[in-house]
Amino acid sequence: KLQSERDDWTRREAELKSEMEHLRSAKRLAEAKLGGVDLQRMKEDNGLVERMAAEHAEEVRSYKQEVAALENRLKWYAENQEMVDGIVATARAQAERAAEAEARARKVEDDMRSLQMELGPERRGKVKPTASGAAQAKIKELEAKNQELCDALKARQPSNSIAALIQAAR
């Protein structure tokens, strides 16, 4: 008998708690209506705000990834520009050496001509240029190497690349 009464009181207590919660909810709704606030609309707006905040966080994450990728790309371009600058410096140095060798070869040829003129017509054919052939071969070799480096540079750095724009700006 005590057990059944206890069960009845427990059930009654649960019913009263449920009714109190329902009354509290009704009180909040009535107070909100009295204050001019629509609770249902407020809940919907809160849901919308939460969705927009999640979307914003996703966009921020996406933009951060994009910025990181662009920074890596810029770093790569800067590193390649250093390499290209080294190639350009090498090509210029080789072009200068080729020009110097060519100038020396011309001087040797001019010296040979003036020497042949001094010797006269009977000995002109007998004096053979010794250094001029080696100098000419070296000139040809350096010119070929210079052209090869210039072609490699053009292939590596097209005129519409960022590296070319940076180089042109310098």
Side-chain angles (χ1 to χ4, degrees):
K1 180 174 177 179
L2 284 174
Q3 183 65 26
S4 69
E5 279 188 37
R6 185 174 159 199
D7 290 342
D8 287 342
W9 282 108
T10 306
R11 192 173 44 254
R12 179 73 179 142
E13 184 181 3
E15 287 174 2
L16 289 174
K17 283 184 180 180
S18 173
E19 190 176 333
M20 273 182 32
E21 185 58 37
H22 177 67
L23 290 172
R24 283 183 185 143
S25 177
K27 179 184 173 193
R28 278 193 301 263
L29 186 61
E31 286 175 348
K33 225 177 198 183
L34 184 63
V37 176
D38 184 3
L39 286 181
Q40 184 61 31
R41 173 136 172 109
M42 210 164 106
K43 284 182 183 178
E44 291 172 2
D45 288 349
N46 283 345
L48 178 64
V49 166
E50 289 173 0
R51 283 194 309 273
M52 290 179 77
E55 288 176 10
H56 177 71
E58 178 63 27
E59 285 179 359
V60 166
R61 186 190 60 75
S62 171
Y63 289 142
K64 284 182 180 179
Q65 286 178 341
E66 187 176 343
V67 165
L70 290 172
E71 285 175 345
N72 286 338
R73 198 169 181 189
L74 184 61
K75 181 181 173 186
W76 180 82
Y77 279 124
E79 289 171 356
N80 280 349
Q81 185 61 42
E82 290 173 4
M83 192 178 352
V84 167
D85 290 344
I87 291 171
V88 166
T90 302
R92 285 183 183 149
Q94 288 181 348
E96 288 174 12
R97 286 196 325 231
E100 288 171 3
E102 195 173 290
R104 283 191 305 243
R106 279 194 214 110
K107 184 176 182 324
V108 168
E109 287 176 359
D110 290 344
D111 290 347
M112 288 296 292
R113 277 194 213 109
S114 66
L115 183 62
Q116 284 179 350
M117 291 303 227
E118 288 177 13
L119 289 175
E122 64 277 349
R123 297 211 37 203
R124 270 189 208 154
K126 294 181 181 171
V127 176
K128 298 200 187 236
T130 56
S132 126
Q136 285 293 352
K138 184 69 174 176
I139 289 171
K140 295 255 187 244
E141 178 186 331
L142 289 174
E143 285 176 345
K145 181 76 171 174
N146 185 33
Q147 186 61 40
E148 179 183 320
L149 287 171
C150 287
D151 292 342
L153 183 61
K154 285 178 185 174
R156 184 109 209 273
Q157 181 183 18
S159 61
N160 62 351
S161 71
I162 291 177
L165 294 174
I166 292 171
Q167 185 66 24
R170 287 183 181 177

